[in-house]
Amino acid sequence: MPSALHRREGGGVAVIPEIAREDIFFSLTDSSMGNSRETRVDVVVQIDPIAYYEYPYNLKPQAAEALRRLNL
């Protein structure tokens, strides 16, 4: 049986469909920070953690700025 998510706005229940494990990109257990909400995700940008770690410290704000612009 699929899991269910109770919606705050408008009430009701959103049914979460079964998804193959290899197709899951995000996974949360229990709760996360803040209230639950339903948000459409159009694009996911993944930053290579090793490349970011090795990126010069003084240039790291440029990566944050590039992501900020994508979210506008």
Side-chain angles (χ1 to χ4, degrees), residues 7-61:
R7 295 180 182 180
R8 183 175 181 180
E9 287 94 24
V13 175
V15 177
I16 301 170
E18 294 294 325
I19 300 173
R21 187 171 193 81
E22 62 270 7
D23 292 334
I24 296 175
F25 194 82
F26 296 109
S27 178
L28 298 173
T29 308
D30 297 323
S31 64
S32 61
M33 294 175 57
N35 295 323
S36 297
R37 64 180 165 175
E38 183 177 322
T39 304
R40 179 181 167 88
V41 176
D42 297 315
V43 176
V44 175
V45 176
Q46 185 175 6
I47 296 176
D48 181 325
I50 295 172
Y52 183 77
Y53 177 81
E54 293 173 347
Y55 201 58
Y57 184 79
N58 64 325
L59 297 179
K60 288 184 179 188

Side-chain angles (χ1 to χ4, degrees), residues 43 45 47 60-72:
V43 176
V45 176
I47 296 176
K60 288 184 179 188
Q62 292 178 0
E65 176 62 17
L67 290 174
R68 186 192 71 76
R69 289 181 182 195
L70 288 171
N71 282 319
L72 293 178

